[in-house]
Amino acid sequence: MLANFTSAIFTSLLLLSSPFISGDNKELSVKTQNPSLPRSDVNLLEFPLNLEFLEAEFFLWGSLGHGLDKAAPNLTDGGPPPIGGKKANLDPLTHDIIMQFAFQEVGHIRAIKKTIKGFPRPLIDISPGNFAKLMDMAFKQKLNPPFDPYANELNYLLASYVIPYVGLTGYVGANPKLQTAQAKRLVAGLLGVESAQDAVIRGLLYERALQKVEPYDITVAEFTGRISNLRNKIGRQGVKDEGLVVPPVFGPEGRTPGNVIAGDADSLSYDRTPEEILRIVYSTGNEHTPGGFFPECADGRIARSYCGWKD
């Protein structure tokens, strides 16, 4: 136990000394873009940049107390800083994991922008108030006190449950629509890590599935079920989301209520379209109506087309 704790602390100290923190590592700047990709591939690679910006800012602020403006300012292209981010009250293990996620998201943004031009960071709302509204929607009542994602590691993990899974379903949905090997390779690489992040989050929460989330007297399993049900509802395309504990008929092969990794009847990842994802990340159920994590509309040609923007 002591060895594991010491290892986690060592890793944290090592990462805190990383050049990512100051954003001064010139080798990590965006250098290449491929003008030969078809427009449809560009659009599909461009769209998830919104989610990668969201994840990077949430994980950076939660673990380090600052965002891309300090960690990798060259990737923001002058986009506005996020609303309401702050350092979370995390135990050493969760802090270490979330910091790793944060740096992974920096890499994801860079990888996309090395392939296509992309766009500046859009306005993102990661404030406690925004998460509180989302949880209130999930439970169809106001939680008292309002849910604060930064209050402790359990709250932060529940808030993290909200984000990577949406992105991974988008990558699953985009992959068969891509035309080029280069685009498919990039999406496969992104999907692999996003899926792993979601699995880690779900695994940590599954270990506490029956634990009560204080002060609400609501279990972790019920929180995840409510969040997944809300995403199914506002995504408006049926069941593509599942909590950690489900009726056995919906578990793997219909044999167990345990559901540490979500999947369809064949245990394959669910897919979502950009329209479904916009409905969810806007928290409005309408791809034409911004809100939630993107109060002024997400960016990229696909998202802009629904907000009425002209290229």
Side-chain angles (χ1 to χ4, degrees):
M1 180 68 71
L2 180 61
N4 290 339
F5 179 81
T6 303
S7 177
I9 294 298
F10 174 78
T11 302
S12 296
L13 291 173
L14 178 64
L15 289 174
L16 282 171
S17 67
S18 166
F20 276 111
I21 303 298
S22 63
D24 60 2
N25 190 333
K26 295 180 181 180
E27 293 181 1
L28 299 178
S29 62
V30 178
K31 295 180 179 178
T32 62
Q33 296 167 10
N34 188 344
S36 65
L37 290 175
R39 169 52 63 181
S40 60
D41 278 13
V42 172
N43 291 345
L44 288 169
L45 293 178
E46 185 182 58
F47 178 78
L49 191 54
N50 291 290
L51 280 297
E52 301 295 353
F53 273 125
L54 170 60
E55 293 174 65
E57 292 292 358
F58 183 58
F59 292 142
L60 282 166
W61 277 98
S63 60
L64 300 175
H66 61 71
L68 284 167
D69 288 311
K70 186 174 181 180
N74 60 308
L75 297 180
T76 70
D77 289 332
I83 300 168
K86 63 179 185 178
K87 195 173 189 299
N89 183 21
L90 305 177
D91 65 273
L93 176 61
T94 307
H95 176 268
D96 184 26
I97 290 170
I98 297 302
M99 184 162 55
Q100 292 180 49
F101 287 1
F103 294 144
Q104 289 165 1
E105 297 306 332
V106 171
H108 289 180
I109 295 170
R110 188 176 65 251
I112 293 174
K113 288 197 167 192
K114 284 168 66 175
T115 306
I116 60 171
K117 181 179 180 180
F119 47 77
R121 174 184 55 194
L123 182 64
I124 295 167
D125 187 347
I126 51 173
S127 67
N130 184 46
F131 279 96
K133 290 178 183 177
L134 184 69
M135 295 302 182
D136 288 349
M137 288 178 63
F139 283 92
K140 300 179 182 179
Q141 63 177 324
K142 286 187 176 295
L143 296 181
N144 185 26
F147 181 87
D148 181 356
Y150 303 103
N152 54 63
E153 64 269 10
L154 184 55
N155 280 24
Y156 195 84
L157 287 171
L158 287 168
S160 299
Y161 177 90
V162 172
I163 300 173
Y165 181 76
V166 178
L168 81 86
T169 59
Y171 286 132
V172 175
N175 192 55
K177 300 175 184 176
L178 295 169
Q179 298 181 43
T180 61
Q182 181 184 14
K184 290 181 179 181
R185 173 64 186 86
L186 175 59
V187 165
L190 293 164
L191 174 59
V193 174
E194 294 292 335
S195 299
Q197 288 179 354
D198 183 63
V200 169
I201 292 167
R202 292 179 72 101
L204 291 171
L205 289 172
Y206 188 72
E207 186 178 14
R208 310 181 197 185
L210 300 182
Q211 179 178 329
K212 295 291 181 67
V213 180
E214 299 298 336
Y216 306 114
D217 198 35
I218 300 170
T219 66
V220 168
E222 185 173 355
F223 258 89
T224 63
R226 293 275 189 159
I227 294 166
S228 288
N229 288 342
L230 174 64
R231 290 190 295 210
N232 285 329
K233 178 181 178 181
I234 60 180
R236 303 200 332 247
Q237 289 296 320
V239 175
K240 296 189 176 182
D241 218 306
E242 300 171 344
L244 295 172
V245 178
V246 296
V249 68
F250 295 114
E253 293 299 294
R255 293 171 181 258
T256 172
N259 198 46
V260 69
I261 297 176
D264 65 13
D266 294 317
S267 290
L268 301 178
S269 294
Y270 292 104
D271 65 294
R272 283 192 171 111
T273 65
E275 293 78 12
E276 292 171 70
I277 290 173
L278 290 173
R279 295 166 195 159
I280 293 168
V281 297
Y282 288 167
S283 300
T284 62
N286 188 332
E287 62 269 32
H288 300 277
T289 306
F293 294 114
F294 296 93
E296 293 184 355
C297 190
D299 208 341
R301 182 169 293 204
I302 293 174
R304 288 197 304 266
S305 70
Y306 289 107
C307 285
W309 296 7
K310 294 182 179 180
D311 291 324

